[in-house]
Amino acid sequence: MEPVLLGFKLIFEPFTMMVIVLASAFGLFMGAMPGLTAAMATALLVPITFFMAPVPSLAGIVAACAMAIFAGDIPSILLRIPGTPASAAYTDEAYAMTKKGQAELAMGICLVSSAIGGIAGSLALALASPTLAELAIGFGSFEYFWLAVLGLSCAAFISADRPVKAVISLMFGLFLSVIGVDPTSGFPRFTFGTNVLAGGIEFIPVLVGMFAVSEVLRNVTDMEPQHHVGRVGIKLANIYKGLGGVLWKYRLGLARGCVVGTIIGALPGAGCDIAAWISYGTSKKLSKEPEKYGTGHPEGLVDAGASNNAALGGTWIPALVFGIPGDSITAIVIGVLYLKGINPGPTVFLQRPEIMYAVFIAFILANILMLPFGMIAIKVARYVLNVPRETLMPIILLFCMVGTFAMNNSVFGIVVMAVMGIVAYLMEENGFPIAPAVLGLVLGPLIEDNFVTSMMKANGNPLEFFTRPGAGVLGALVMVVWFSPLILKLVRRRYKDPIIPVS
Amino acid sequence: MKVSDTVSGVVLVLFALGVFYLTRSFPPMPGQRFGPSLLPNVIAMVLGACGLILIIQTIRQRKVMPLFVLPAWAHVPKFAVNFSVVLFSMFFYIATSDRLGFLIAGFVTVFALLLTWRRGTLLSTAVIALVAVVVIQVFFGTLLRVGLPWGVLEAWRI
């Protein structure tokens, strides 16, 4: 019990509480502003958390993300623009409710279902992680190598429409991670004799460049007028009016959203946005009145609103237990853990259990705080959404440059940030997803270390990678993921041949 | 800028060959057949293979695609300026922040960007830029104790 109590103590320290409150406000703002995402909020927070102890920095990231995912619903309801991609699944539905004069009800549903979903995801995280960690404690370098490869492969294959491009992005990230002095042999790789590259490409400049600078570039070249925030004229009355009845009526959907969201989140490669799409789709399929979907029907909103927040807790399960990030936010979190000298993975539950419990408590606390803070955010949303993006973007850009510089007081970091921002912008323009690149950069050292150690143990024989039972199963799983696109293609081709004539 | 997949594929194959060339000089670990060149070579192999797949896929589609296409916004002067001004301001900040100091370089950067994007009087633009720079200086420089450069203002360092 002691680590749990210690976790509580760490969270309820005045400084940590202050960080949680400020990060919440920051997350609500970033989530509510269209064009600024939860991943960008996390990326901008990282240079600041660099100066803090592990618990306040992790608690701050947790609070900011949870709030940002909820706050993404606010502009969906008011302007029909999702604040973050996680709200895109039900933006049309939410706005249809506003047009019917039910903006208050839509806000209430989104806020309360987000909080409930978030708490469900947090509980799943708190209960599942220690158990899974016990299971993973017997893993050696072979298993870790396969786990990391599995995480990366799922990330490349699950969510991408063109897996080849996701693999290229992943390899690009891995390549960035091998630049610099090789830790095992001390040999400088791809440094071209320079000193600045000897220390390697640092994680934070890449992160800020890829998630924030590229976003700024996209924002300033956005020609579609619908993305330009208009004036919000709606005044909101009591958001809790009639809410209890609606939530009770759709309690099953709410529960389903919590479960589906957590599970989808825990799968590597699928995050909050995919959870919301799947939950909205399932809700429609299983509903008694599917014809009402799209006309401002609250049922899908209850499901998907809970689901995307539940997924946030879910994504942290593989990240904390195995050190394998499932999406871009957890990739950032893992990078932060390494920076703090904490190696994510099952041993962390033995060595620093209080930090893990503090994270769980922060998750639950953030979702409870979401109710009062969300209320305030909804009240002031009218004013916040009217802040012009033209004023915001220059300040964000300067913030990125100063934040990157702050890491080690070197201008070279800003150069890396700028280059990566342009590279990420070009990649996205050409259909290369950027999240796998960040995963590759973060997991690169882990993969290389375990790969080289395993190769030495195996005397260079690759078949040894499959001889231990755990490693064999994981290796086989990786093969399934790798060859699934090919197998699916063959199956489809087979069924295209009309064996049974269609009448 | 949209680049055709053929071009991306060729670039990747060339990149892979370049990595193979550079790793030839990497020494193996004592007593082993492999060393620091192992992972870079694996990465290069996968990248080269992916590059070939991209090339083959475009050939099989049999559509003639231009090698480079500028995005629609690049033909609208306003957006072309928007884009270049971001690049230029980053370049400006990188080149001058050390000599001019954060306060001046940061102010000029934000002021120039605001001037390009925002409608408003010169005075209001200057005030916003000044407030932004001072807030960031206090936050990072004073609270987080980051050694932001003072440059020409060194004599007035607080």
Side-chain angles (χ1 to χ4, degrees):
Chain A
M1 207 51 204
E2 210 163 284
V4 183
L5 288 178
L6 206 55
F8 269 104
K9 218 180 122 201
L10 284 167
I11 286 292
F12 287 99
E13 264 179 27
F15 179 71
T16 314
M17 288 305 288
M18 186 191 81
V19 171
I20 291 179
V21 170
L22 291 178
S24 298
F26 178 67
L28 285 169
F29 176 74
M30 296 292 284
M33 289 303 282
L36 312 182
T37 60
M40 186 178 180
T42 320
L44 292 179
L45 261 186
V46 169
I48 304 171
T49 60
F50 182 71
F51 296 92
M52 299 175 193
V55 170
S57 58
L58 289 170
I61 292 176
V62 167
C65 291
M67 300 290 172
I69 300 286
F70 154 67
D73 297 347
I74 298 176
S76 296
I77 295 166
L78 294 177
L79 300 163
R80 201 186 177 186
I81 304 167
T84 70
S87 306
Y90 49 90
T91 292
D92 284 342
E93 190 82 72
Y95 190 67
M97 285 186 74
T98 306
K99 278 209 294 204
K100 276 164 63 178
Q102 297 178 329
E104 287 91 354
L105 184 63
M107 285 286 184
I109 291 173
C110 286
L111 177 58
V112 177
S113 68
S114 290
I116 294 175
I119 291 174
S122 316
L123 288 176
L125 169 70
L127 296 175
S129 317
T131 326
L132 281 173
E134 263 176 49
L135 204 103
I137 207 89
F139 283 7
S141 65
F142 290 107
E143 283 86 0
Y144 270 106
F145 168 73
W146 282 126
L147 262 178
V149 175
L150 184 65
L152 290 179
S153 313
C154 288
F157 288 117
I158 289 184
S159 53
D161 12 319
R162 288 193 62 188
V164 182
K165 293 200 164 177
V167 173
I168 293 171
S169 165
L170 185 61
M171 289 297 141
F172 173 65
L174 277 178
F175 184 78
L176 289 181
S177 81
V178 302
I179 296 173
V181 174
D182 171 34
T184 30
S185 66
F187 184 79
R189 294 187 287 196
F190 310 108
T191 56
F192 302 100
T194 56
N195 273 335
V196 280
L197 282 172
I201 301 283
E202 283 196 57
F203 160 69
I204 291 182
V206 177
L207 183 74
V208 175
M210 288 195 144
F211 286 117
V213 176
S214 69
E215 233 18 272
V216 170
L217 285 172
R218 203 161 308 120
N219 264 297
V220 301
T221 52
D222 183 5
M223 296 210 298
E224 292 187 31
Q226 59 166 16
H227 290 171
H228 291 283
V229 177
R231 293 253 148 201
V232 183
I234 307 160
K235 270 194 181 161
L236 293 169
N238 182 9
I239 63 162
Y240 292 116
K241 204 176 152 199
L243 180 63
V246 172
L247 288 180
W248 182 248
K249 189 174 170 196
Y250 299 121
R251 58 190 181 278
L252 269 180
L254 187 64
R256 193 169 52 219
C258 292
V259 174
V260 171
T262 311
I263 294 173
I264 302 285
L267 291 178
C272 305
D273 44 343
I274 297 176
W277 283 107
I278 292 181
S279 274
Y280 185 77
T282 333
S283 172
K284 190 175 174 182
K285 217 178 235 169
L286 297 177
S287 169
K288 285 180 196 133
E289 4 179 54
E291 72 284 352
K292 285 193 182 170
Y293 279 69
T295 61
H297 185 52
E299 195 175 353
L301 226 58
V302 174
D303 244 48
S307 178
N308 57 10
N309 277 74
L312 191 65
T315 53
W316 283 56
I317 296 176
L320 291 182
V321 176
F322 305 119
I324 309 295
D327 65 346
S328 34
I329 295 177
T330 43
I332 302 173
V333 169
I334 288 191
V336 170
L337 285 171
Y338 278 122
L339 282 178
K340 301 275 172 218
I342 302 170
N343 295 352
T347 45
V348 113
F349 286 84
L350 290 180
Q351 289 159 356
R352 312 288 296 273
E354 73 284 359
I355 291 186
M356 293 297 116
Y357 285 109
V359 168
F360 303 153
I361 296 161
F363 252 107
I364 294 171
L365 186 67
N367 283 296
I368 294 171
L369 286 177
M370 192 185 283
L371 292 172
F373 288 7
M375 269 291 289
I376 301 171
I378 291 170
K379 291 269 177 232
V380 299
R382 283 201 308 143
Y383 309 102
V384 173
L385 284 173
N386 289 339
V387 173
R389 278 195 295 174
E390 296 81 52
T391 313
L392 220 52
M393 288 301 151
I395 299 171
I396 290 181
L397 194 67
L398 185 65
F399 192 91
C400 291
M401 295 197 280
V402 175
T404 308
F405 176 84
M407 301 303 306
N408 48 11
N409 287 3
S410 96
V411 180
F412 181 67
I414 312 180
V415 176
V416 173
M417 177 207 82
V419 172
M420 285 302 147
I422 298 166
V423 169
Y425 174 80
L426 287 176
M427 280 169 69
E428 289 232 305
E429 281 283 284
N430 289 291
F432 294 92
I434 51 174
V438 175
L439 294 183
L441 178 65
V442 170
L443 287 182
L446 180 80
I447 288 198
E448 175 156 43
D449 190 30
N450 286 303
F451 187 42
V452 172
T453 318
S454 305
M455 282 292 267
M456 279 159 120
K457 280 190 207 161
N459 270 327
N461 177 9
L463 281 181
E464 287 280 321
F465 278 78
F466 294 93
T467 47
R468 287 169 53 121
V473 171
L474 288 170
L477 261 177
V478 170
M479 296 299 147
V480 170
V481 173
W482 280 3
F483 292 108
S484 60
L486 199 72
I487 296 168
L488 282 176
K489 212 174 183 179
L490 289 177
V491 170
R492 262 188 226 130
R493 195 173 286 173
R494 173 117 195 218
Y495 282 96
K496 252 190 200 162
D497 297 335
I499 306 168
I500 309 158
V502 185
S503 57
Chain B
M1 184 174 68
K2 285 228 172 14
V3 181
S4 93
D5 283 355
T6 324
V7 175
S8 308
V10 171
V11 169
L12 287 169
V13 172
L14 290 178
F15 180 81
L17 291 176
V19 172
F20 285 135
Y21 176 75
L22 286 173
T23 53
R24 281 195 323 166
S25 59
F26 290 12
M29 294 222 281
Q32 300 284 352
R33 277 176 293 142
F34 51 87
S37 65
L38 182 63
L39 188 64
N41 279 338
V42 173
I43 294 171
M45 267 194 288
V46 179
L47 276 180
C50 288
L52 287 178
I53 293 176
L54 280 184
I55 297 173
I56 294 168
Q57 278 179 349
T58 27
I59 291 174
R60 280 174 67 184
Q61 280 173 351
R62 284 182 205 169
K63 269 191 281 181
V64 183
M65 303 262 274
L67 297 181
F68 298 96
V69 184
L70 281 177
W73 58 257
H75 301 288
V76 184
K78 182 186 158 203
F79 293 103
V81 168
N82 277 358
F83 187 83
S84 10
V85 85
V86 174
L87 301 192
F88 187 76
S89 64
M90 287 194 291
F91 177 75
F92 171 80
Y93 185 85
I94 289 167
T96 63
S97 64
D98 210 29
R99 250 170 298 154
L100 293 180
F102 166 74
L103 286 176
I104 296 177
F107 177 82
V108 173
T109 308
V110 175
F111 184 73
L113 289 172
L114 284 173
L115 215 55
T116 331
W117 294 337
R118 193 175 158 274
R119 271 167 302 182
T121 59
L122 270 183
L123 183 70
S124 70
T125 310
V127 169
I128 295 176
L130 190 68
V131 170
V133 170
V134 169
V135 168
I136 291 181
Q137 169 70 44
V138 169
F139 186 75
F140 276 98
T142 313
L143 290 178
L144 298 177
R145 297 189 192 167
V146 174
L148 290 174
W150 282 80
V152 289
L153 297 178
E154 190 61 52
W156 289 277
R157 179 191 276 271
I158 310 162

